[in-house]
Amino acid sequence: MLKSLINKIEELYVFNISQFFWHIFVALAAIGIVGGVLLVFWGIIPAFKSSVTKEEYPPMVTVTADELKAAFAPAKRTEREAQWQVPTQQAVAPPVSAEASPEEIAYRASLDEMQRLIPPAKYSWGAEGFYEYPYGYQYPQYARWVQRSPAVLDRLESAFSQAGITTFSEKKQLLDTHIVVVRQFKEEARLPVWKALITWNGRSLSQAISNAKLLGTFVPKFSADRSEYVTKLATFGDKNPNDGYALVEYIGKVIEKFPQEKRNDALAALINAYHRYFNNRVREQIEITDSFFPMLTSFSNDQAVKALQTYYQLASEKNYERSQTIAAIEARYRAELMRAQAEYEAARAKKASWRLNGLYGIVGGIVVVATIALVLVLLSIQRYVRQINERLNTTASATVNQ
């Protein structure tokens, strides 16, 4: 039955169709293969992302020295709030175990150096907090410890984890950077400085080291006796991960323009102005501050900080529309970046589709050519076998007749 069906297909369709038809069919399949190859190559070429250019900011509206003097008022004296110490718990670095690796031993040696600079017996490394008496002081047995701040070593380990620091060699590298900064201060100021360095840690080892080195550059510009300015800078940098480093770096460059006795006040004015007028716009604050310094010599040392504060207020009022324009420019720039990214992703998806279609074309063309060739070969074999049988039968008949 199958043999009869094959013979019928062969006689009615295959060999009754001209060879030119099969050539055309194979040629079309070959064109499909070539087209598929071209699509694959085109899909392999990376998609291009269109560039986005930010618009120029409008010029700043300047504040003249006369305007500043007219609006200037003497600074009011502010009283420093009293500071009080809460009870602390003592904590020291644990001893080195006998199975410690050379890297751990080296790290412990750096910890020992820090303990020499900041003796735990004199300056508490422990957690800070206070005892709470829920039933009154007459029942001390029910007192409980309320922790306000963890121990220094716990904070240090937390900083290591935040920065992704896992090896003892990396820990030693950061701790040695802290030691270089801490060593510049007098002994009584070192522990707050170290806590400030731990506070502004960063998200990587390199960032943490850069932050610590930047804070260290402020020591000759301020004082080695006090630590408040380091704490203030570190706190600001930690709470402002986007603009913190840029503004702290800028403050380090310009703080010496103020007299030594007014630098703490100037530091506070620069940081407060960021929060009040320039939140997330540190570039604008730097531009406005730079325009103030040429007129700083018009004021006495006692008036310098107040003049800066007044200048910020006037400049902010006069540049309100400019700030709105800058905000609009930034919004358009971010929108263009998002549009360019979306177009890029769409182009990448289209390239992937072309690659897939090209592979389909290549595979389909090869399958068609292979199928036609296989069918023709099989049918040719069938035809030759039939011809051989016919000849054998003819020969056998002739022999019998003889």
Side-chain angles (χ1 to χ4, degrees), residues 220-304:
K221 302 169 185 177
F222 280 84
S223 170
D225 300 332
R226 307 184 67 85
S227 61
E228 292 86 350
Y229 63 92
V230 181
T231 301
K232 186 173 295 185
L233 289 166
T235 302
F236 175 79
D238 179 62
K239 293 183 177 180
N240 296 274
N242 294 330
D243 291 343
Y245 189 92
L247 185 59
V248 172
E249 185 180 38
Y250 176 74
I251 291 173
K253 295 176 181 178
V254 302
I255 198 66
E256 290 181 300
K257 296 180 182 293
F258 295 92
Q260 180 75 37
E261 67 276 9
K262 293 296 180 181
R263 289 178 185 174
N264 281 314
D265 295 333
L267 171 62
L270 288 162
I271 291 177
N272 292 338
Y274 174 84
H275 292 301
R276 185 173 182 181
Y277 303 112
F278 308 103
N279 192 22
N280 291 324
R281 303 198 318 274
V282 67
R283 176 181 170 184
E284 186 177 349
Q285 180 177 3
I286 291 173
E287 183 182 10
I288 288 179
T289 308
D290 283 339
S291 67
F292 163 77
F293 286 122
M295 62 185 72
L296 181 60
T297 55
S298 302
F299 302 92
S300 65
N301 290 348
D302 291 337
Q303 296 174 328

XYZ file of all heavy atoms in Angstrom, residues 220-304:
695
model
N 43.780 71.675 60.212
C 44.575 72.912 60.244
C 43.750 74.171 60.001
O 44.205 75.275 60.323
C 45.600 72.695 59.125
C 44.999 71.688 58.213
C 44.174 70.795 59.096
N 42.551 74.036 59.476
C 41.716 75.203 59.210
C 40.843 75.569 60.406
O 40.304 76.673 60.459
C 40.824 74.937 57.985
C 41.626 74.593 56.730
C 40.752 74.079 55.617
C 41.590 73.624 54.429
N 40.793 73.053 53.337
N 40.691 74.622 61.329
C 39.889 74.884 62.528
C 40.768 74.748 63.767
O 41.509 75.653 64.110
C 38.693 73.930 62.579
C 37.556 74.343 61.701
C 37.542 74.008 60.353
C 36.493 75.069 62.204
C 36.494 74.390 59.528
C 35.435 75.463 61.394
C 35.444 75.122 60.052
N 40.702 73.610 64.418
C 41.439 73.442 65.669
C 41.604 71.968 65.953
O 40.762 71.146 65.579
C 40.691 74.127 66.824
O 41.262 73.785 68.061
N 42.703 71.635 66.637
C 42.928 70.265 67.094
C 42.436 70.067 68.514
O 42.556 68.970 69.062
C 44.414 69.916 67.002
N 41.897 71.126 69.133
C 41.423 71.046 70.513
C 39.970 70.636 70.612
O 39.543 70.076 71.629
C 41.588 72.400 71.219
C 43.041 72.847 71.246
O 43.915 71.960 71.228
O 43.289 74.059 71.284
N 39.181 70.912 69.568
C 37.748 70.685 69.616
C 37.333 69.762 68.462
O 38.041 69.629 67.463
C 36.986 72.009 69.551
C 37.436 73.027 70.598
C 36.594 74.282 70.544
N 35.225 74.021 70.949
C 34.821 74.013 72.223
N 35.687 74.242 73.198
N 33.560 73.776 72.520
N 36.154 69.170 68.625
C 35.691 68.184 67.638
C 34.315 68.516 67.070
O 33.821 67.789 66.203
C 35.620 66.798 68.294
O 34.696 66.807 69.380
N 33.693 69.632 67.530
C 32.317 69.894 67.103
C 32.192 70.044 65.597
O 31.224 69.576 64.981
C 31.774 71.161 67.783
C 31.567 71.040 69.282
C 32.824 71.352 70.067
O 33.908 71.479 69.438
O 32.739 71.469 71.298
N 33.156 70.682 64.967
C 33.053 70.917 63.523
C 33.155 69.611 62.752
O 32.497 69.435 61.706
C 34.119 71.917 63.066
C 35.545 71.465 63.240
C 36.218 70.807 62.220
C 36.234 71.697 64.424
C 37.528 70.399 62.360
C 37.546 71.296 64.583
C 38.189 70.641 63.554
O 39.488 70.237 63.705
N 33.959 68.667 63.243
C 34.056 67.371 62.569
C 32.722 66.624 62.681
O 32.240 66.038 61.706
C 35.204 66.531 63.170
C 35.306 65.189 62.452
C 36.519 67.270 63.068
N 32.133 66.646 63.867
C 30.841 65.992 64.061
C 29.778 66.611 63.163
O 28.959 65.900 62.553
C 30.418 66.102 65.536
O 31.416 65.487 66.357
C 29.083 65.421 65.765
N 29.782 67.941 63.062
C 28.778 68.627 62.243
C 28.948 68.268 60.760
O 27.965 67.986 60.054
C 28.907 70.135 62.443
C 27.825 70.950 61.767
C 27.924 72.418 62.159
C 27.640 72.606 63.635
N 27.621 74.029 64.022
N 30.174 68.254 60.276
C 30.427 67.911 58.879
C 30.077 66.453 58.589
O 29.467 66.141 57.555
C 31.898 68.169 58.542
C 32.333 69.634 58.462
C 33.854 69.736 58.461
C 31.757 70.298 57.222
N 30.467 65.561 59.504
C 30.188 64.139 59.289
C 28.694 63.863 59.310
O 28.178 63.075 58.505
C 30.901 63.308 60.349
N 27.979 64.490 60.224
C 26.530 64.295 60.289
C 25.855 64.793 59.018
O 24.960 64.136 58.465
C 25.955 65.023 61.516
O 26.590 64.535 62.701
C 24.460 64.802 61.622
N 26.293 65.959 58.541
C 25.715 66.495 57.310
C 26.008 65.569 56.130
O 25.117 65.275 55.313
C 26.276 67.888 57.027
C 25.821 68.461 55.716
C 24.573 69.019 55.572
C 26.656 68.413 54.597
C 24.151 69.526 54.346
C 26.246 68.910 53.380
C 24.994 69.471 53.257
N 27.252 65.123 56.011
C 27.608 64.239 54.906
C 26.847 62.933 54.937
O 26.422 62.421 53.894
N 26.641 62.387 56.143
C 25.925 61.118 56.266
C 24.457 61.266 55.896
O 23.872 60.374 55.279
C 26.069 60.600 57.699
C 25.324 59.299 57.920
O 25.659 58.303 57.260
O 24.393 59.286 58.748
N 23.831 62.374 56.248
C 22.409 62.571 55.992
C 22.119 63.093 54.583
O 20.947 63.182 54.202
C 21.824 63.528 57.028
C 21.799 62.948 58.435
C 21.133 63.896 59.423
C 21.041 63.271 60.805
N 20.402 64.178 61.794
N 23.152 63.453 53.842
C 22.959 63.970 52.482
C 23.880 63.219 51.523
O 24.904 63.747 51.072
C 23.248 65.473 52.430
C 22.277 66.276 53.264
O 21.201 66.641 52.822
N 22.667 66.556 54.503
N 23.545 61.961 51.202
C 24.441 61.157 50.365
C 24.628 61.700 48.952
O 25.636 61.397 48.306
C 23.752 59.783 50.336
C 22.324 60.058 50.676
C 22.333 61.229 51.600
N 23.688 62.511 48.455
C 23.823 63.038 47.096
C 24.749 64.245 47.030
O 25.647 64.312 46.197
C 22.445 63.400 46.534
C 21.551 62.199 46.337
O 22.030 61.098 46.069
N 20.257 62.376 46.482
N 24.506 65.224 47.901
C 25.255 66.487 47.847
C 26.253 66.649 48.982
O 27.011 67.617 48.997
C 24.275 67.674 47.901
C 23.439 67.792 46.645
O 23.837 67.189 45.632
O 22.401 68.468 46.674
N 26.248 65.715 49.940
C 27.060 65.894 51.142
C 28.531 66.070 50.861
O 29.163 67.029 51.317
N 29.112 65.167 50.081
C 30.551 65.227 49.836
C 30.910 66.498 49.073
O 31.918 67.160 49.375
C 31.005 63.997 49.046
C 32.511 63.879 48.937
C 33.234 63.156 49.871
C 33.216 64.492 47.897
C 34.605 63.033 49.780
C 34.590 64.392 47.804
C 35.278 63.659 48.747
O 36.654 63.554 48.657
N 30.096 66.853 48.078
C 30.402 68.037 47.261
C 30.411 69.303 48.106
O 31.307 70.151 47.968
C 29.395 68.164 46.125
N 29.433 69.457 49.002
C 29.385 70.679 49.811
C 30.481 70.684 50.865
O 31.100 71.718 51.112
C 28.016 70.821 50.474
C 27.823 72.130 51.251
C 28.006 73.338 50.326
C 26.447 72.186 51.909
N 30.742 69.545 51.505
C 31.830 69.492 52.493
C 33.164 69.815 51.829
O 33.986 70.551 52.380
C 31.863 68.102 53.166
C 33.108 67.964 54.047
C 30.606 67.882 54.005
N 33.374 69.285 50.636
C 34.609 69.585 49.913
C 34.700 71.072 49.590
O 35.776 71.688 49.711
C 34.656 68.746 48.636
C 35.952 68.873 47.852
C 35.948 68.017 46.609
O 34.882 67.918 45.942
O 37.004 67.432 46.296
N 33.582 71.671 49.189
C 33.574 73.100 48.877
C 33.832 73.929 50.130
O 34.579 74.918 50.090
C 32.235 73.482 48.254
C 32.089 74.955 47.975
C 32.765 75.559 46.917
C 31.283 75.754 48.783
C 32.640 76.915 46.662
C 31.147 77.109 48.529
C 31.837 77.689 47.471
O 31.713 79.033 47.222
N 33.223 73.550 51.246
C 33.448 74.275 52.498
C 34.925 74.255 52.861
O 35.485 75.256 53.315
C 32.590 73.670 53.621
C 31.109 73.944 53.366
C 32.989 74.231 54.984
C 30.171 73.242 54.339
N 35.565 73.116 52.650
C 36.988 73.035 52.937
C 37.827 73.985 52.103
O 38.893 74.446 52.538
N 37.342 74.310 50.907
C 38.101 75.210 50.028
C 37.896 76.682 50.382
O 38.797 77.502 50.146
C 37.688 74.975 48.570
C 38.048 73.595 48.035
C 37.524 73.420 46.619
C 37.853 72.032 46.070
N 37.300 71.833 44.698
N 36.728 77.040 50.933
C 36.405 78.460 51.113
C 36.387 78.891 52.573
O 36.295 80.089 52.845
C 35.046 78.799 50.470
C 35.054 78.450 48.994
C 33.899 78.059 51.177
N 36.454 77.956 53.512
C 36.286 78.335 54.920
C 37.391 79.253 55.393
O 37.196 80.067 56.321
C 36.203 77.064 55.803
C 35.597 77.392 57.162
C 37.575 76.416 55.953
C 34.172 77.824 57.119
N 38.564 79.171 54.780
C 39.688 80.019 55.200
C 39.498 81.483 54.793
O 40.279 82.335 55.213
C 40.991 79.472 54.619
C 41.428 78.153 55.249
C 42.735 77.641 54.684
O 42.800 77.389 53.462
O 43.701 77.488 55.456
N 38.489 81.769 53.992
C 38.196 83.162 53.658
C 37.615 83.902 54.861
O 37.581 85.133 54.871
C 37.215 83.229 52.479
C 37.762 82.652 51.176
C 36.739 82.755 50.061
C 37.253 82.130 48.768
N 38.387 82.882 48.191
N 37.132 83.149 55.846
C 36.587 83.752 57.060
C 37.662 83.792 58.138
O 38.552 82.928 58.163
C 35.378 82.946 57.558
C 34.209 82.957 56.627
C 34.060 81.971 55.659
C 33.261 83.966 56.695
C 32.987 81.979 54.791
C 32.174 83.985 55.822
C 32.044 82.994 54.870
N 37.596 84.746 59.047
C 38.580 84.800 60.137
C 38.486 83.556 61.010
O 37.423 82.943 61.130
C 38.192 86.067 60.897
C 36.781 86.354 60.508
C 36.623 85.848 59.114
N 39.600 83.186 61.617
C 39.680 81.956 62.398
C 38.587 81.866 63.449
O 37.952 80.825 63.614
C 41.064 81.878 63.076
C 41.283 80.635 63.924
C 41.517 79.394 63.086
O 42.151 79.459 62.043
N 41.000 78.259 63.533
N 38.334 82.964 64.150
C 37.369 82.924 65.244
C 35.927 82.840 64.755
O 35.007 82.612 65.555
C 37.534 84.152 66.152
C 37.172 85.480 65.500
C 38.308 86.087 64.684
O 39.325 85.387 64.480
O 38.193 87.248 64.269
N 35.679 83.020 63.456
C 34.313 82.990 62.926
C 34.047 81.764 62.044
O 32.971 81.650 61.460
C 34.057 84.255 62.102
C 34.038 85.541 62.934
C 32.888 85.531 63.921
C 32.847 86.780 64.757
N 31.730 86.770 65.740
N 34.982 80.858 61.977
C 34.823 79.743 61.044
C 33.760 78.746 61.496
O 33.071 78.150 60.663
C 36.166 79.050 60.828
C 37.120 79.901 60.006
C 38.471 79.265 59.814
N 39.366 80.207 59.113
C 40.660 80.008 58.896
N 41.226 78.882 59.331
N 41.377 80.912 58.266
N 33.628 78.534 62.797
C 32.559 77.652 63.263
C 31.190 78.214 62.903
O 30.291 77.477 62.466
C 32.664 77.444 64.775
C 33.741 76.437 65.147
O 33.842 75.373 64.555
N 34.556 76.783 66.127
N 31.033 79.526 63.088
C 29.764 80.159 62.721
C 29.554 80.122 61.204
O 28.425 79.936 60.730
C 29.731 81.601 63.222
C 29.749 81.681 64.741
O 29.282 80.733 65.393
O 30.245 82.691 65.278
N 30.624 80.328 60.450
C 30.518 80.272 58.992
C 30.139 78.870 58.525
O 29.330 78.700 57.597
C 31.832 80.706 58.350
N 30.713 77.864 59.167
C 30.367 76.480 58.835
C 28.884 76.226 59.058
O 28.198 75.647 58.203
C 31.207 75.529 59.684
C 30.838 74.044 59.622
C 31.009 73.510 58.215
C 31.692 73.246 60.607
N 28.376 76.688 60.198
C 26.952 76.511 60.484
C 26.094 77.266 59.468
O 25.054 76.761 59.020
C 26.644 76.995 61.901
N 26.521 78.460 59.070
C 25.757 79.240 58.101
C 25.709 78.543 56.741
O 24.657 78.521 56.077
C 26.368 80.635 57.968
N 26.813 77.970 56.309
C 26.858 77.289 55.022
C 25.961 76.044 55.015
O 25.230 75.794 54.041
C 28.301 76.900 54.693
C 29.232 78.062 54.319
C 30.687 77.639 54.442
C 28.937 78.541 52.905
N 26.001 75.282 56.088
C 25.176 74.074 56.161
C 23.699 74.426 56.302
O 22.834 73.830 55.638
C 25.651 73.181 57.321
C 27.038 72.601 56.995
C 24.658 72.052 57.583
C 27.625 71.755 58.098
N 23.391 75.403 57.156
C 21.989 75.801 57.339
C 21.397 76.370 56.052
O 20.213 76.167 55.754
C 21.878 76.824 58.466
C 22.196 76.223 59.828
O 22.102 75.009 60.018
N 22.590 77.063 60.773
N 22.222 77.105 55.288
C 21.731 77.668 54.027
C 21.361 76.564 53.042
O 20.389 76.686 52.281
C 22.786 78.590 53.427
N 22.135 75.480 53.050
C 21.799 74.365 52.164
C 20.408 73.825 52.493
O 19.584 73.598 51.600
C 22.840 73.258 52.300
C 22.482 72.007 51.530
C 22.778 71.893 50.178
C 21.826 70.943 52.153
C 22.436 70.752 49.463
C 21.480 69.805 51.448
C 21.784 69.721 50.115
O 21.432 68.587 49.403
N 20.153 73.611 53.774
C 18.852 73.062 54.170
C 17.716 74.055 53.900
O 16.608 73.646 53.541
C 18.872 72.696 55.657
C 19.764 71.538 55.983
N 19.605 70.291 55.427
C 20.839 71.430 56.811
C 20.517 69.464 55.883
N 21.283 70.131 56.731
N 17.995 75.336 54.066
C 16.927 76.323 53.956
C 16.646 76.746 52.521
O 15.486 76.943 52.139
C 17.299 77.553 54.778
C 16.198 78.613 54.833
C 16.539 79.722 55.799
N 15.465 80.710 55.887
C 15.510 81.799 56.646
N 16.587 82.030 57.395
N 14.494 82.647 56.663
N 17.711 76.886 51.702
C 17.525 77.467 50.367
C 17.882 76.516 49.218
O 17.362 76.683 48.107
C 18.386 78.726 50.209
C 18.131 79.795 51.230
C 19.102 80.117 52.180
C 16.933 80.506 51.253
C 18.886 81.121 53.120
C 16.704 81.505 52.186
C 17.685 81.806 53.116
O 17.457 82.790 54.053
N 18.791 75.570 49.423
C 19.379 74.861 48.287
C 19.302 73.345 48.418
O 20.184 72.631 47.939
C 20.848 75.266 48.122
C 21.083 76.736 48.066
C 21.589 77.409 49.173
C 20.774 77.460 46.929
C 21.809 78.781 49.134
C 20.993 78.820 46.883
C 21.503 79.482 47.982
N 18.291 72.828 49.059
C 18.212 71.388 49.249
C 18.254 70.657 47.904
O 17.442 70.908 47.016
C 16.918 71.035 49.986
C 16.909 69.601 50.478
O 17.960 68.989 50.637
N 15.738 69.062 50.692
N 19.251 69.742 47.765
C 19.482 68.982 46.526
C 19.878 69.878 45.351
O 19.761 69.466 44.193
C 18.239 68.161 46.147
C 17.994 67.021 47.100
O 18.940 66.396 47.589
N 16.736 66.745 47.390
N 20.379 71.093 45.631
C 20.858 71.992 44.569
C 22.195 72.594 45.015
O 22.361 73.796 45.082
C 19.835 73.101 44.283
C 18.459 72.604 43.904
C 17.612 73.659 43.214
N 17.724 74.967 43.811
C 17.012 75.413 44.840
N 16.129 74.609 45.424
N 17.162 76.634 45.301
N 23.138 71.731 45.313
C 24.412 72.204 45.851
C 25.173 73.033 44.815
O 25.896 73.969 45.174
C 25.262 71.002 46.322
C 25.694 70.131 45.151
C 26.474 71.469 47.118
N 24.996 72.713 43.539
C 25.691 73.480 42.497
C 25.255 74.942 42.518
O 26.086 75.852 42.356
C 25.396 72.853 41.131
C 25.990 73.609 39.951
C 25.628 72.913 38.647
N 25.972 73.725 37.500
C 25.690 73.398 36.243
N 25.065 72.268 35.991
N 26.024 74.188 35.242
N 23.960 75.170 42.743
C 23.454 76.534 42.800
C 23.991 77.254 44.035
O 24.344 78.446 43.963
C 21.924 76.506 42.818
C 21.277 77.877 42.726
C 19.765 77.787 42.682
O 19.225 76.672 42.521
O 19.116 78.851 42.802
N 24.080 76.555 45.158
C 24.626 77.184 46.367
C 26.089 77.577 46.166
O 26.516 78.659 46.580
C 24.510 76.245 47.563
C 25.060 76.868 48.847
C 24.890 75.979 50.063
O 24.412 74.851 49.960
N 25.294 76.471 51.224
N 26.852 76.730 45.538
C 28.263 77.037 45.284
C 28.386 78.265 44.390
O 29.220 79.158 44.628
C 28.956 75.817 44.655
C 29.061 74.679 45.686
C 30.337 76.183 44.130
C 29.586 73.382 45.119
N 27.542 78.348 43.371
C 27.585 79.493 42.460
C 27.261 80.791 43.188
O 27.955 81.812 43.020
C 26.600 79.257 41.311
C 26.598 80.348 40.260
C 25.569 80.100 39.175
O 24.723 79.190 39.339
O 25.578 80.835 38.162
N 26.216 80.770 44.014
C 25.817 81.984 44.739
C 26.863 82.350 45.786
O 27.190 83.537 45.969
C 24.432 81.769 45.376
C 23.362 81.773 44.271
C 24.121 82.847 46.406
C 21.951 81.538 44.776
N 27.422 81.370 46.466
C 28.436 81.651 47.486
C 29.679 82.249 46.860
O 30.289 83.178 47.416
C 28.784 80.371 48.252
O 27.588 79.747 48.729
C 29.666 80.691 49.449
N 30.071 81.741 45.702
C 31.243 82.311 45.015
C 31.022 83.780 44.662
O 31.974 84.578 44.679
C 31.542 81.510 43.747
C 32.228 80.175 44.048
O 32.812 80.047 45.147
O 32.159 79.273 43.199
N 29.795 84.143 44.331
C 29.522 85.540 43.980
C 29.526 86.451 45.210
O 29.578 87.676 45.068
C 28.164 85.637 43.269
O 27.102 85.316 44.149
N 29.470 85.878 46.416
C 29.477 86.687 47.631
C 30.888 87.111 48.051
O 31.086 88.216 48.555
C 28.814 85.899 48.772
C 29.113 86.432 50.144
C 28.478 87.578 50.617
C 30.046 85.805 50.964
C 28.761 88.084 51.883
C 30.327 86.288 52.224
C 29.686 87.432 52.683
N 31.857 86.257 47.838
C 33.183 86.494 48.401
C 33.866 87.768 47.912
O 34.614 88.391 48.674
C 34.076 85.273 48.161
C 33.726 84.112 49.038
C 33.370 82.884 48.483
C 33.723 84.226 50.417
C 33.035 81.816 49.284
C 33.387 83.159 51.233
C 33.039 81.952 50.665
N 33.657 88.214 46.664
C 34.301 89.478 46.269
C 33.905 90.661 47.137
O 34.672 91.626 47.249
C 33.847 89.669 44.820
C 33.590 88.278 44.322
C 33.037 87.554 45.505
N 32.739 90.646 47.768
C 32.316 91.770 48.605
C 32.523 91.490 50.098
O 32.121 92.298 50.932
C 30.847 92.107 48.325
C 29.860 91.003 48.642
S 28.156 91.445 48.144
C 28.295 91.326 46.359
N 33.159 90.371 50.437
C 33.375 90.051 51.846
C 34.276 91.062 52.533
O 34.109 91.353 53.726
C 33.976 88.638 51.963
C 34.259 88.122 53.375
C 32.974 88.063 54.198
C 34.903 86.737 53.320
N 35.205 91.632 51.790
C 36.131 92.612 52.394
C 35.425 93.907 52.789
O 36.013 94.730 53.491
C 37.263 92.916 51.398
O 36.707 93.349 50.146
C 38.124 91.679 51.157
N 34.180 94.082 52.355
C 33.447 95.292 52.724
C 32.912 95.235 54.148
O 32.359 96.219 54.645
C 32.269 95.510 51.757
O 32.712 95.597 50.419
N 33.080 94.088 54.807
C 32.528 93.917 56.146
C 33.631 93.541 57.114
O 34.645 92.936 56.742
C 31.441 92.831 56.129
C 30.311 93.100 55.180
C 30.345 92.611 53.882
C 29.239 93.880 55.576
C 29.322 92.863 52.998
C 28.202 94.139 54.691
C 28.237 93.631 53.401
N 33.420 93.894 58.352
C 34.382 93.567 59.396
C 34.317 92.079 59.713
O 33.402 91.367 59.292
C 34.095 94.386 60.654
O 32.829 94.003 61.201
N 35.293 91.603 60.474
C 35.318 90.189 60.854
C 34.058 89.780 61.611
O 33.536 88.686 61.423
C 36.552 89.894 61.693
C 37.839 89.964 60.872
O 37.796 90.015 59.636
N 38.976 89.967 61.544
N 33.566 90.643 62.456
C 32.369 90.331 63.230
C 31.109 90.295 62.363
O 30.114 89.669 62.739
C 32.180 91.365 64.352
C 33.251 91.251 65.432
O 33.838 90.149 65.557
O 33.515 92.251 66.113
N 31.149 90.979 61.238
C 29.973 91.046 60.373
C 29.987 90.014 59.251
O 28.997 89.867 58.530
C 29.869 92.444 59.749
C 29.652 93.561 60.746
C 29.702 94.924 60.074
O 30.430 95.122 59.086
N 28.931 95.869 60.598
N 31.092 89.278 59.083
C 31.272 88.426 57.910
C 30.195 87.354 57.795
O 29.578 87.173 56.730
C 32.658 87.782 57.945
